[in-house]
Amino acid sequence: MKIEPIAYFESPLKSKFGIPRQSGLVCELTGRIVFEPAYRQMDAVRGLEDFDYLWLIWEFSKNSDAKKSLTVRPPRLGGNVRMGVFATRSPFRPNNLGLSCVRIERIEHDAHLGPVIHVLGADLMDGTPIYDIKPYVAYADAHPEARSGFVDQTAWEPLEVVIPEDFLKLIPQEAHGALKATLAQDPRPRYHDDAERVYGMPFMNWDIRFKVADKVLTVVSVIAGK
């Protein structure tokens, strides 16, 4: 079977580093689904306005050349314990396919782009190809009583985020919540624990530099992109 993208995702997250490890973890994070020309008709999304959530089937497009393995090291387990790839949501998968549930914020009609779907809480980087879109149906898709394997057995708490006011003023106010919530997820590899190391995360048109010590993430600089 040969599949082609039906759309591409537009996101403030410009690289793999810093992307939330699951959809729905950063509800403030905005994004847009922009269809390819063949699907730029409102008929393609007729009825979608009556749903709250979508399933996106997409590609880990930056992992096409990555080495594949039958076992991976989930960040939730500290990055040092191996589990079977099919028992995880690792991005390093045989077919590089991702599955995400996102909230529909609104659907607008653009004169040139056709229907554009604005969503919240996605874990996709900017430019990600999307292969299919399906509505989330609560009676079939929700299983609140389900076990979640090792995820149930490992507690995780978000970081406290400190952004000095001088840096915060450089970024549009409407993006503050999404930036703080994204940083609170701790973008670092789970096995990193160097309080003096400075990390950089692209966000919109800025490079956000930060350190982490004692579960507090502190932004140390904000550099405008080119």
Side-chain angles (χ1 to χ4, degrees):
M1 179 178 69
K2 182 179 179 181
I3 57 176
E4 299 288 343
I6 63 165
Y8 286 86
F9 196 75
E10 295 181 356
S11 168
L13 301 173
K14 307 299 183 181
S15 77
K16 293 189 294 182
F17 188 85
I19 294 177
R21 291 182 172 89
Q22 300 292 335
S23 59
L25 293 180
V26 182
C27 298
E28 303 90 338
L29 200 55
T30 61
R32 300 200 316 168
I33 298 168
V34 178
F35 286 98
E36 287 288 86
Y39 307 100
R40 290 179 180 176
Q41 299 181 37
M42 291 302 291
D43 281 348
V45 296
R46 184 189 300 170
L48 194 58
E49 68 277 1
D50 295 327
F51 292 86
D52 284 332
Y53 289 87
L54 288 177
W55 288 108
L56 302 179
I57 300 172
W58 49 279
E59 180 185 359
F60 291 102
S61 52
K62 297 300 182 182
N63 290 349
S64 57
D65 296 326
K67 183 180 178 181
K68 304 298 173 61
S69 172
L70 293 181
T71 61
V72 295
R73 298 183 296 176
R76 191 66 176 256
L77 295 177
N80 294 311
V81 178
R82 285 198 169 271
M83 302 291 285
V85 65
F86 300 125
T88 75
R89 295 192 175 188
S90 168
F92 302 101
R93 316 194 67 78
N95 288 312
N96 290 329
L97 289 178
L99 177 67
S100 297
C101 186
V102 299
R103 187 177 183 92
I104 301 172
E105 182 181 29
R106 69 183 187 277
I107 302 172
E108 67 175 359
H109 180 268
D110 183 276
H112 301 290
L113 300 177
V116 176
I117 306 174
H118 294 253
V119 301
L120 299 170
D123 54 344
L124 284 67
M125 70 175 286
D126 190 57
T128 294
I130 296 174
Y131 292 107
D132 205 357
I133 295 171
K134 299 177 185 291
Y136 174 95
V137 180
Y139 85 91
D141 295 344
H143 301 281
E145 77 289 351
R147 297 180 301 152
S148 298
F150 62 83
V151 178
D152 289 337
Q153 303 161 20
T154 52
W156 184 86
E157 294 292 334
L159 299 175
E160 177 184 347
V161 176
V162 176
I163 305 179
E165 189 63 29
D166 287 348
F167 298 144
L168 207 54
K169 289 189 297 187
L170 301 174
I171 298 169
Q173 187 172 1
E174 61 270 19
H176 290 181
L179 174 59
K180 289 180 178 179
T182 301
L183 292 172
Q185 294 298 314
D186 194 354
R188 303 172 303 163
R190 284 290 188 257
Y191 50 86
H192 282 201
D193 192 24
D194 182 354
E196 296 304 315
R197 182 167 179 169
V198 176
Y199 297 85
M201 185 189 82
F203 184 85
M204 298 177 69
N205 296 320
W206 295 272
D207 185 18
I208 312 298
R209 306 285 178 88
F210 63 89
K211 292 182 177 182
V212 180
D214 299 324
K215 298 184 178 180
V216 177
L217 183 151
T218 303
V219 172
V220 297
S221 69
V222 173
I223 302 173
K226 297 180 180 180

